[in-house]
Protein backbone atom coordinates (compact mmCIF):
# COMPACT_ATOMS: atom_id res chain seq x y z
CA UNK A 1 0.00 0.00 0.00
CA UNK A 2 1.27 3.46 -0.90
CA UNK A 3 0.44 6.67 0.97
CA UNK A 4 1.78 10.11 1.87
CA UNK A 5 2.43 11.24 5.44
CA UNK A 6 3.06 14.75 6.74
CA UNK A 7 6.52 15.04 8.30
CA UNK A 8 6.73 18.82 8.82
CA UNK A 9 4.99 21.96 7.57
CA UNK A 10 4.82 21.67 3.76
CA UNK A 11 6.81 18.39 3.82
CA UNK A 12 5.17 15.12 2.77
CA UNK A 13 6.86 11.74 2.59
CA UNK A 14 5.95 8.89 0.23
CA UNK A 15 5.58 5.65 2.18
CA UNK A 16 4.94 2.08 1.03
CA UNK A 17 4.29 -1.00 3.16
CA UNK A 18 4.29 -4.66 2.20
CA UNK A 19 3.50 -7.85 4.05
CA UNK A 20 0.77 -8.70 6.53
CA UNK A 21 0.13 -5.89 8.99
CA UNK A 22 -0.03 -8.36 11.90
CA UNK A 23 3.62 -9.32 11.34
CA UNK A 24 6.41 -7.52 13.25
CA UNK A 25 7.09 -4.16 11.53
CA UNK A 26 10.43 -3.57 9.79
CA UNK A 27 11.37 -0.05 8.68
CA UNK A 28 13.95 0.28 5.89
CA UNK A 29 15.94 3.54 5.66
CA UNK A 30 17.85 4.21 2.43
CA UNK A 31 21.01 6.24 1.85
CA UNK A 32 21.71 9.80 0.75
CA UNK A 33 19.96 11.06 -2.38
CA UNK A 34 18.27 7.64 -2.62
CA UNK A 35 14.59 6.87 -3.02
CA UNK A 36 13.03 4.13 -0.94
CA UNK A 37 12.88 2.14 -4.18
CA UNK A 38 16.64 1.79 -3.79
CA UNK A 39 15.62 -1.20 -1.65
CA UNK A 40 15.01 -3.72 -4.47
CA UNK A 41 11.55 -5.29 -4.64
CA UNK A 42 13.06 -8.78 -4.53
CA UNK A 43 14.81 -8.08 -1.23
CA UNK A 44 11.77 -6.36 0.26
CA UNK A 45 9.56 -9.31 -0.68
CA UNK A 46 11.94 -11.77 0.98
CA UNK A 47 11.77 -9.76 4.19
CA UNK A 48 7.99 -9.40 3.88
CA UNK A 49 7.57 -13.16 4.35
CA UNK A 50 8.12 -12.53 8.07
CA UNK A 51 7.63 -8.79 8.47
CA UNK A 52 5.34 -5.89 7.75
CA UNK A 53 7.96 -4.01 5.72
CA UNK A 54 7.91 -0.22 5.36
CA UNK A 55 10.11 1.78 2.99
CA UNK A 56 9.86 5.47 2.22
CA UNK A 57 11.37 8.31 0.20
CA UNK A 58 13.54 10.75 2.14
CA UNK A 59 12.88 14.45 1.66
CA UNK A 60 14.31 15.58 -1.68
CA UNK A 61 14.08 12.10 -3.18
CA UNK A 62 11.44 10.21 -5.12
CA UNK A 63 7.86 11.37 -4.60
CA UNK A 64 8.51 13.07 -1.27
CA UNK A 65 8.71 16.87 -1.04
CA UNK A 66 11.80 18.45 -2.60
CA UNK A 67 12.22 21.56 -0.47
CA UNK A 68 15.84 21.82 0.71
CA UNK A 69 16.55 24.95 -1.37
CA UNK A 70 13.59 26.72 0.24
CA UNK A 71 14.02 25.27 3.73
CA UNK A 72 17.44 23.71 4.47
CA UNK A 73 17.50 21.05 7.18
CA UNK A 74 20.22 19.18 9.09
CA UNK A 75 20.76 15.45 8.55
CA UNK A 76 19.50 14.82 12.07
CA UNK A 77 16.05 15.95 10.91
CA UNK A 78 15.97 12.98 8.52
CA UNK A 79 16.20 10.68 11.55
CA UNK A 80 13.16 12.39 13.02
CA UNK A 81 11.37 11.74 9.71
CA UNK A 82 11.86 8.00 10.30
CA UNK A 83 10.19 8.32 13.71
CA UNK A 84 7.39 10.33 12.12
CA UNK A 85 6.76 7.57 9.56
CA UNK A 86 6.29 5.09 12.42
CA UNK A 87 4.04 7.54 14.25
CA UNK A 88 1.83 8.17 11.23
CA UNK A 89 1.45 4.42 10.65
CA UNK A 90 0.57 3.85 14.30
CA UNK A 91 3.64 1.70 14.94
CA UNK A 92 5.08 1.91 18.44
CA UNK A 93 8.16 -0.30 17.88
CA UNK A 94 9.87 -1.67 14.78
CA UNK A 95 12.95 -3.47 13.58
CA UNK A 96 15.00 -0.96 11.58
CA UNK A 97 17.42 -1.60 8.69
CA UNK A 98 19.56 1.30 7.47
CA UNK A 99 22.03 1.50 4.59
CA UNK A 100 24.75 4.13 4.08
CA UNK A 101 23.31 7.45 5.34
CA UNK A 102 20.35 5.35 6.41
CA UNK A 103 22.74 3.43 8.65
CA UNK A 104 23.81 6.69 10.27
CA UNK A 105 20.19 7.69 10.78
CA UNK A 106 19.54 4.29 12.33
CA UNK A 107 22.38 4.93 14.77
CA UNK A 108 20.68 8.21 15.73
CA UNK A 109 17.52 6.21 16.41
CA UNK A 110 19.46 3.69 18.51
CA UNK A 111 20.88 6.56 20.56
CA UNK A 112 17.93 8.93 20.75
CA UNK A 113 14.85 6.68 20.44
CA UNK A 114 15.91 3.24 21.74
CA UNK A 115 12.40 2.46 22.94
CA UNK A 116 11.10 2.58 19.37
CA UNK A 117 13.51 -0.09 18.07
CA UNK A 118 13.05 -3.85 18.38
CA UNK A 119 16.40 -4.29 16.64
CA UNK A 120 18.77 -2.48 14.26
CA UNK A 121 20.68 -3.67 11.20
CA UNK A 122 23.42 -1.45 9.77
CA UNK A 123 24.73 -1.76 6.20
CA UNK A 124 27.50 0.17 4.44
CA UNK A 125 27.94 2.84 7.07
CA UNK A 126 30.46 4.21 9.55
CA UNK A 127 30.19 4.70 13.29
CA UNK A 128 28.86 7.90 14.82
CA UNK A 129 31.52 7.42 17.46
CA UNK A 130 34.98 8.67 18.34
CA UNK A 131 35.89 5.29 19.85
CA UNK A 132 39.19 4.06 18.35
CA UNK A 133 39.22 0.86 16.33
CA UNK A 134 41.10 -1.89 18.14
CA UNK A 135 42.99 -4.16 15.75
CA UNK A 136 43.41 -7.88 16.48
CA UNK A 137 46.97 -7.18 17.67
CA UNK A 138 45.70 -4.61 20.17
CA UNK A 139 46.85 -1.50 18.32
CA UNK A 140 44.37 1.34 17.95
CA UNK A 141 43.35 3.57 15.04
CA UNK A 142 41.23 6.68 15.39
CA UNK A 143 38.09 6.75 13.22
CA UNK A 144 39.39 9.60 11.06
CA UNK A 145 42.43 7.48 10.15
CA UNK A 146 40.44 4.48 8.94
CA UNK A 147 40.47 3.87 5.15
CA UNK A 148 38.49 6.40 3.14
CA UNK A 149 36.24 6.36 0.11
CA UNK A 150 37.69 4.78 -3.04
CA UNK A 151 39.38 7.39 -5.30
CA UNK A 152 37.27 6.27 -8.28
CA UNK A 153 34.09 7.21 -6.44
CA UNK A 154 35.48 10.51 -5.21
CA UNK A 155 36.38 11.39 -8.79
CA UNK A 156 32.86 10.47 -10.00
CA UNK A 157 31.22 12.51 -7.25
CA UNK A 158 33.39 15.54 -8.08
CA UNK A 159 32.05 15.73 -11.63
CA UNK A 160 29.13 18.12 -12.16
CA UNK A 161 25.90 16.34 -13.09
CA UNK A 162 24.80 17.77 -16.42
CA UNK A 163 21.53 17.16 -18.24
CA UNK A 164 22.27 15.29 -21.48
CA UNK A 165 18.93 13.50 -21.63
CA UNK A 166 17.38 10.41 -20.07
CA UNK A 167 19.60 7.82 -21.75
CA UNK A 168 22.78 9.62 -20.70
CA UNK A 169 21.49 9.89 -17.14
CA UNK A 170 20.68 6.18 -17.04
CA UNK A 171 24.19 5.41 -18.28
CA UNK A 172 25.72 7.67 -15.61
CA UNK A 173 23.71 6.04 -12.85
CA UNK A 174 24.49 2.55 -14.10
CA UNK A 175 28.22 3.27 -14.08
CA UNK A 176 27.85 4.70 -10.59
CA UNK A 177 26.37 1.39 -9.44
CA UNK A 178 29.24 -0.43 -11.12
CA UNK A 179 31.71 1.54 -8.98
CA UNK A 180 29.62 1.15 -5.82
CA UNK A 181 29.34 -2.60 -6.25
CA UNK A 182 33.04 -3.22 -5.77
CA UNK A 183 35.16 -5.71 -7.65
CA UNK A 184 34.22 -9.11 -6.23
CA UNK A 185 30.85 -9.86 -7.84
CA UNK A 186 29.96 -9.75 -11.56
CA UNK A 187 28.17 -6.51 -12.39
CA UNK A 188 24.69 -6.79 -13.92
CA UNK A 189 24.33 -3.55 -15.87
CA UNK A 190 20.84 -4.39 -17.13
CA UNK A 191 19.61 -4.95 -13.57
CA UNK A 192 21.10 -1.65 -12.36
CA UNK A 193 19.66 0.24 -15.33
CA UNK A 194 16.19 -1.26 -14.81
CA UNK A 195 16.27 -0.28 -11.13
CA UNK A 196 17.18 3.32 -11.97
CA UNK A 197 14.57 3.54 -14.72
CA UNK A 198 11.96 2.39 -12.20
CA UNK A 199 13.13 5.04 -9.72
CA UNK A 200 12.99 7.75 -12.39
CA UNK A 201 9.44 6.74 -13.37
CA UNK A 202 8.47 6.68 -9.68
CA UNK A 203 9.97 10.14 -9.12
CA UNK A 204 8.50 11.63 -12.28
CA UNK A 205 11.77 13.14 -13.49
CA UNK A 206 15.49 12.34 -13.62
CA UNK A 207 16.90 15.37 -11.81
CA UNK A 208 19.54 14.50 -9.24
CA UNK A 209 19.15 15.95 -5.75
CA UNK A 210 22.24 17.18 -3.90
CA UNK A 211 20.33 18.17 -0.76
CA UNK A 212 21.77 15.55 1.55
CA UNK A 213 25.32 16.34 0.49
CA UNK A 214 24.70 19.99 1.38
CA UNK A 215 22.82 19.40 4.64
CA UNK A 216 24.32 20.35 8.01
CA UNK A 217 26.16 17.34 9.47
CA UNK A 218 26.74 18.75 12.94
CA UNK A 219 25.39 17.12 16.08
CA UNK A 220 25.79 13.54 14.82
CA UNK A 221 28.22 12.13 17.39
CA UNK A 222 26.63 9.49 19.64
CA UNK A 223 29.71 7.83 21.16
CA UNK A 224 28.39 7.43 24.70
CA UNK A 225 24.86 6.39 23.77
CA UNK A 226 26.02 3.72 21.30
CA UNK A 227 28.46 2.31 23.85
CA UNK A 228 25.65 1.92 26.38
CA UNK A 229 22.73 0.83 24.20
CA UNK A 230 20.64 -2.28 24.77
CA UNK A 231 19.16 -2.29 21.23
CA UNK A 232 20.10 -5.61 19.55
CA UNK A 233 22.28 -4.53 16.64
CA UNK A 234 23.58 -6.40 13.61
CA UNK A 235 26.39 -4.97 11.47
CA UNK A 236 26.72 -6.24 7.89
CA UNK A 237 30.33 -6.61 6.79
CA UNK A 238 30.83 -6.14 3.04
CA UNK A 239 34.36 -7.11 1.95
CA UNK A 240 34.16 -5.23 -1.39
CA UNK A 241 32.78 -2.04 0.21
CA UNK A 242 34.28 1.07 -1.52
CA UNK A 243 32.56 3.78 0.57
CA UNK A 244 33.18 2.47 4.09
CA UNK A 245 35.86 -0.14 3.37
CA UNK A 246 37.10 -2.65 5.93
CA UNK A 247 37.56 -2.36 8.84
CA UNK A 248 34.71 0.18 9.18
CA UNK A 249 32.12 -2.54 9.82
CA UNK A 250 34.25 -4.07 12.57
CA UNK A 251 34.82 -0.64 14.08
CA UNK A 252 31.07 -0.09 14.07
CA UNK A 253 30.52 -3.42 15.81
CA UNK A 254 33.07 -2.42 18.46
CA UNK A 255 31.50 1.00 19.01
CA UNK A 256 27.96 -0.33 19.60
CA UNK A 257 27.42 -2.29 22.78
CA UNK A 258 26.54 -5.92 22.13
CA UNK A 259 26.60 -5.61 18.33
CA UNK A 260 27.37 -8.68 16.30
CA UNK A 261 28.72 -8.83 12.76
CA UNK A 262 27.86 -10.98 9.74
CA UNK A 263 29.88 -11.08 6.52
CA UNK A 264 28.09 -11.09 3.15
CA UNK A 265 30.63 -12.54 0.68
CA UNK A 266 31.42 -10.33 -2.31
CA UNK A 267 29.13 -7.48 -1.24
CA UNK A 268 30.03 -3.86 -1.91
CA UNK A 269 27.99 -0.69 -1.40
CA UNK A 270 25.09 -1.97 -3.48
CA UNK A 271 22.25 -4.49 -3.40
CA UNK A 272 22.58 -6.69 -6.51
CA UNK A 273 20.57 -9.89 -6.88
CA UNK A 274 23.61 -11.95 -5.85
CA UNK A 275 23.37 -10.74 -2.23
CA UNK A 276 19.60 -10.72 -1.71
CA UNK A 277 19.28 -14.23 -0.31
CA UNK A 278 22.24 -14.08 2.05
CA UNK A 279 21.42 -10.54 3.18
CA UNK A 280 17.74 -11.35 3.81
CA UNK A 281 18.75 -14.47 5.71
CA UNK A 282 21.11 -12.46 7.93
CA UNK A 283 18.48 -9.80 8.65
CA UNK A 284 15.72 -12.33 9.35
CA UNK A 285 17.95 -14.41 11.63
CA UNK A 286 18.75 -11.23 13.56
CA UNK A 287 15.16 -10.00 13.86
CA UNK A 288 14.01 -13.45 14.96
CA UNK A 289 16.63 -13.62 17.71
CA UNK A 290 15.89 -10.06 18.78
Amino acid sequence: MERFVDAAPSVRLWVEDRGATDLPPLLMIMGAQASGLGWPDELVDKLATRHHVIRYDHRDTGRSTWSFDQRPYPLTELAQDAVTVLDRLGIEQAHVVGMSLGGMLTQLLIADHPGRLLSATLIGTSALSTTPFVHPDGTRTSPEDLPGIAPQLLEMWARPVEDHGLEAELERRTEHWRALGGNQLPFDAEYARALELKIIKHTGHYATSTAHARADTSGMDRTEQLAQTSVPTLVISAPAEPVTPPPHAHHLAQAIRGARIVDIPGMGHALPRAVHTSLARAILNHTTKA
Side-chain angles (χ1 to χ4, degrees):
M1 177 178 178
E2 299 181 35
R3 69 191 83 185
F4 287 91
V5 302
D6 293 324
S10 302
V11 175
R12 304 180 75 204
L13 304 178
W14 174 88
V15 179
E16 180 206 62
D17 59 316
R18 295 190 182 196
T21 56
D22 60 348
L23 291 173
L26 188 155
L27 178 68
M28 308 190 76
I29 308 178
M30 240 300 138
Q33 276 83 248
S35 159
L37 267 61
W39 296 108
D41 289 345
E42 300 93 332
L43 176 61
V44 172
D45 288 341
K46 288 178 183 294
L47 297 174
T49 60
R50 296 194 208 170
H51 288 284
H52 174 209
V53 180
I54 302 109
R55 59 181 175 175
Y56 68 99
D57 290 341
H58 291 297
R59 303 179 190 203
D60 293 276
T61 74
R63 293 183 186 172
S64 292
T65 303
W66 290 46
S67 60
F68 184 85
D69 290 336
Q70 292 75 42
R71 182 186 174 274
Y73 48 80
L75 288 182
T76 52
E77 198 161 329
L78 297 181
Q80 183 57 48
D81 285 350
V83 176
T84 299
V85 169
L86 295 179
D87 289 343
R88 297 293 184 264
L89 270 59
I91 296 171
E92 182 62 30
Q93 290 184 304
H95 300 279
V96 179
V97 179
M99 181 167 184
S100 196
L101 172 63
M104 293 182 179
L105 301 180
T106 302
Q107 291 176 68
L108 293 177
L109 299 184
I110 292 171
D112 301 344
H113 303 277
R116 304 300 300 269
L117 275 67
L118 295 169
S119 76
T121 300
L122 306 174
I123 307 169
T125 194
S126 55
L128 301 182
S129 172
T130 58
T131 301
F133 172 64
V134 182
H135 296 264
D137 64 3
T139 58
R140 294 170 176 260
T141 300
S142 63
E144 58 268 23
D145 291 329
L146 292 175
I149 299 168
Q152 179 188 6
L153 276 170
L154 291 176
E155 191 274 330
M156 292 180 78
W157 294 348
R159 299 176 198 162
V161 177
E162 300 174 341
D163 185 356
H164 296 292
L166 174 60
E167 288 302 317
E169 178 62 15
L170 284 169
E171 178 64 21
R172 185 190 71 81
R173 295 189 187 191
T174 299
E175 290 308 302
H176 187 222
W177 281 121
R178 187 191 301 275
L180 287 171
N183 57 8
Q184 295 188 19
L185 293 174
F187 179 64
D188 188 340
E190 289 186 7
Y191 177 80
R193 187 182 188 281
L195 175 63
E196 285 299 331
L197 183 58
K198 181 175 182 178
I199 290 170
I200 288 169
K201 289 181 177 179
H202 165 77
T203 303
H205 58 80
Y206 58 83
T208 298
S209 172
T210 60
H212 301 161
R214 293 182 284 139
D216 181 4
T217 60
S218 63
M220 300 276 284
D221 178 69
R222 294 294 187 277
T223 301
E224 293 184 8
Q225 297 94 326
L226 295 176
Q228 298 171 4
T229 188
S230 59
V231 175
T233 302
L234 172 67
V235 177
I236 298 298
S237 172
E241 171 66 64
V243 178
T244 54
H248 276 276
H250 286 81
H251 174 237
L252 188 56
Q254 290 179 3
I256 300 176
R257 179 175 176 262
R260 63 190 189 90
I261 192 163
V262 171
D263 184 80
I264 304 298
M267 186 173 174
H269 198 81
L271 299 169
R273 284 197 187 103
V275 306
H276 291 176
T277 297
S278 54
L279 181 58
R281 183 185 303 120
I283 294 170
L284 292 174
N285 285 344
H286 176 58
T287 58
T288 299
K289 291 177 181 178

